[in-house]
Amino acid sequence: MGDPAADLAVQGTNTSSITSKRSLERLGYLQPCHVEGATEKDSPLMLKYVVQKPSRRSPVINRSYYYRTETIRLLVEGWIQECETLGMDNCAVISLGCGFDPTFFRLKLLQERRETRTKLKYIDIDYPTLIMERLYMVRNQEKLFDLLPENPSKDDVAEFVSDTYSCLGVDLRNLNELEKRLEEAGITKKGGQQQTRMPILVVSEVVLAYLEAEESDAVIKFFADFPEATFVLHEQCIPTFDVDEQGNENLHPFALTMFRHFERTMTPLKTLREYMSIEDQRDRFQELGWPNCEIMNMNLMADLLVTPNESDHLRISQLEPFDEYDEQHWIGSYYFTAVASTGPKEGVSVPTRSPDVLRGIGLSAKLQHALFMTETPMDKSSYISIDHKSASASSSQRSIVGSIKWAGEVLFPGLDINRKGHSLTILGDYAYAFGGFGLDASDGLEDQRIFRARSQQTRLATMLRINLQDGTSQMLPRDDDEPAPRMHHSAVSTLNGSTIYMYGGRDGPTKVHNDVWRFTPENGWDPIWRARVNPMSNHRAPSGLFKHTANMMVIDDKEMMVVYGGRNGAGEANETIWAFVIPDNQWVPFMWRSSERQPKYKGIFSHSSVVVKDEDQRNVLLVIGGIHGKDEKVLNSVTRVTMGRTLNIDENTVLHWAEADEISLQEINDNSSAGRSSNSGDHAHVHSLFKPRFGHTSVAVDEDRILVIGGVSSPGLLLWQETVVEIRLKARTFQYLRPSSFRELVMVNHATVLDNSRNRIIGIGGGGTCFGFGAWWDAVGWALKL
Ligand SMILES: C[S@@+](CC[C@H](N)C(=O)[O-])C[C@H]1O[C@@H](n2cnc3c(N)ncnc32)[C@H](O)[C@@H]1O
């Protein structure tokens, strides 16, 4: 039927999947005690029995697999529970492309410990050769073998068939064979016409994407003929990133990297060529005979179902250090779960209704709540449904009222900067890019947009100087007594534009710097505060932070480098505002005056901040977006932070205080024009929210105008048209500005700075990764004209 070599490669994906799930089990992501009465020692998750060679996956792969595995577990168990609640005598779970997935054995334990009258039939299906391997393994593992049902009707090297569990070797592209073998295992399309009803749940976890679109369509259509069927499809999608005026789609570098990876491993994602977005998937299910279908991307599933509470986030954040939020959210945008079900069939003797698993597990209520309460700003790249047409009626293009022009084509000839999480500061006619993670541009072998293994990338300690007049750049020579390598640090220039102050950053997952360095073009680096935190000393100082922001501002006549948010070496988000007082070379903490219990503006990281003036001409800080440490929610807030110094009652000590108030912004858009996307349908309010983002930058052009640039959004993908947002403070409005032409830029973990002399904002570096498959960089540098 297919090319045997290609089929073998596809079967190999099972090893990678099951090894990743075993990695979760070993690290404690999965909770064995979801099986009542079972202890860790019993390993009711069973993964240890099916993976002979365990290996520890990277934190981002572990998290992604955790969301995926838990989503499927909750749906399968929720569906069975729903069948029990409905008082069904029988129900069946059919796992397509099961690989070595041990769910049956876990459920068997679960059922043994519970009283239920609903009889579960479980059917695992994969390629015949893989099923043979699976059965061999099961028979040679005492624990699994003991759980196999007794008295099977068929039990040979290639197949196991019994009343409660069957393991069938069938190529899913052969539907006649599939139908025949399912019948042998007791599953027929007649369903509701039989004396006993048999609702079925079909699970396809990253399987059908490897088939040609028409082949996977045929499988989905095949199961639509079952009267009480639910189909759970979990696999990759390609959310729309940009569509140009001619209707051509520009893919996000994440999508390009993912496609390339699967082509290279000889397991191309064939279905994806036909069905890219979750809208495509929704239409597909509808056309193939599924009247009900809800689709959520993995970010939304994680938010609403897998880790809805602070305690869930706390638990997984304690399992291993994690900081790859950008990659995690991209992965979450590129995987979806569809839950489709068939409706009542005409002409059947027994009235039928597919068990509603989403209602059963409480997800329907949460989706409704989120849609109407706008807590989770969903859009059609994160949630789509057949029932809620209006939520998806808008086109994938955001209607843009404003635009912004690039300042020139090749601004920095020869610039090839492959780094992210660096800093960028201007002194005179030069911009200085320091540190970050990536490849040194001085590496002669380096070439932009070449995918390289991660091992070749590292935290950097080099400084690139860019001449803003002619665009040339030069790597500055480095001495030993200079700042250590670091990423996600901060660097700001003094208000007179003579000196750069650099603080913090991390080198390694938990090694976080707390030093302050001063740089001048004349004297180079000077360590003015290096690792001098002494808990006994009178002078308090931050313990070392990364992913914070720093701004130079005047507070009651003193120039200070104000450090906001960030994370410490233990990964905790910082709630204290710290300022390094320039004339005193000393840190001071600011005390929050507000009494709110858990305000969102405290304990955040990966946000951006700018300094503006308030009505009294005082410097205030505007903090935009970021990630809230406690629940890891991506923020869409814009908060104004006012700081001051007052003498204490004793008049000898000074109290540094801070106050915050959230600013609500209205989106400017042309309501009158026809075909507008952003406020059509019932859920207009959802679209008019300032989209959540992190890993972005902000630049205050003047007292009124702030540009927010790039970043990662959640739960959906940040569209190219949403990359640049203009905030007008006086009018309390914002609007999206479409750059004059599409450029292959992602603008994430990049650095921007206002180049006042040339009336432009320049952006340097930034990039991302797609699993461990490859990295991409914004290597050439760019500028936006003001
Ligand atoms: C990525 S693995 C996923 C395994 C399992 N569902 C999981 O999530 O752990 C893909 C599985 O689909 C199976 N598969 C792909 N195409 C298939 C086909 N045409 N017929 C049967 N199985 C197929 C492969 O053999 C492999 O076991």
Side-chain angles (χ1 to χ4, degrees), residues 473-492:
S473 50
Q474 180 196 6
M475 196 68 79
L476 297 185
R478 203 186 124 71
D479 279 344
D480 282 346
D481 192 25
E482 289 194 353
R486 65 192 67 210
M487 65 192 290
H488 298 306
H489 53 287
S490 57
V492 279

Side-chain angles (χ1 to χ4, degrees), residues 373-391:
M373 302 306 289
T374 74
E375 270 173 4
T376 306
M378 299 186 293
D379 62 18
K380 60 203 166 323
S381 75
S382 57
Y383 172 60
I384 208 112
S385 120
I386 285 173
D387 292 341
H388 301 110
K389 283 260 192 288
S390 50

Side-chain angles (χ1 to χ4, degrees), residues 10-11 13-14 17-18 21 68 96-99 101 125-127 130 170-173 205-207 210-211:
V10 171
Q11 289 173 56
T13 61
N14 164 55
S17 162
I18 211 72
K21 291 184 183 177
R68 160 175 162 181
L96 305 179
C98 58
D101 176 72
I125 300 175
D126 208 298
Y127 280 111
L130 197 138
V170 184
D171 184 335
L172 293 169
R173 293 166 296 188
E205 185 185 343
V206 195
V207 175
Y210 297 112
L211 275 62

Side-chain angles (χ1 to χ4, degrees), residues 601-759:
Y601 52 80
K602 270 198 214 170
I604 66 169
F605 58 90
S606 275
H607 54 289
S608 66
S609 62
V610 292
V611 178
V612 288
K613 289 206 174 104
D614 68 1
E615 302 77 29
D616 303 328
Q617 296 304 302
R618 279 181 308 182
N619 275 186
V620 290
L621 202 62
L622 213 62
V623 179
I624 300 161
I627 297 177
H628 188 239
K630 288 224 165 76
D631 56 13
E632 297 179 311
K633 287 248 186 295
V634 183
L635 304 174
N636 61 356
S637 49
V638 177
T639 305
R640 192 170 74 158
V641 183
T642 312
M643 284 163 278
R645 300 187 320 144
T646 42
L647 278 183
N648 254 346
I649 308 168
D650 59 13
E651 303 225 334
N652 287 326
T653 45
V654 180
L655 178 75
H656 293 83
W657 55 265
E659 271 174 0
D661 61 303
E662 216 178 293
I663 293 180
S664 71
L665 300 170
Q666 285 292 313
E667 182 176 1
I668 307 176
N669 53 26
D670 177 9
N671 291 339
S672 58
S673 65
R676 294 265 315 129
S677 65
S678 54
N679 48 4
S680 63
D682 294 347
H683 309 295
H685 50 295
V686 175
H687 296 286
S688 62
L689 277 178
F690 190 75
K691 234 179 161 178
R693 64 177 78 198
F694 66 94
H696 58 288
T697 58
S698 298
V699 177
V701 177
D702 53 40
E703 294 312 324
D704 182 42
R705 188 177 178 213
I706 290 129
L707 292 189
V708 182
I709 299 165
V712 180
S713 190
S714 178
L717 187 76
L718 192 69
L719 297 178
W720 169 249
Q721 305 101 297
E722 294 165 336
T723 304
V724 182
V725 185
E726 180 187 63
I727 295 176
R728 289 286 183 172
L729 268 185
K730 288 199 184 99
R732 300 268 161 127
T733 57
F734 75 93
Q735 66 173 327
Y736 290 93
L737 300 182
R738 192 191 169 103
S740 45
S741 61
F742 180 77
R743 294 230 180 133
E744 284 186 323
L745 295 170
V746 276
M747 299 186 185
V748 173
N749 293 324
H750 58 304
T752 51
V753 68
L754 179 67
D755 181 8
N756 236 335
S757 312
R758 279 150 287 269
N759 204 25

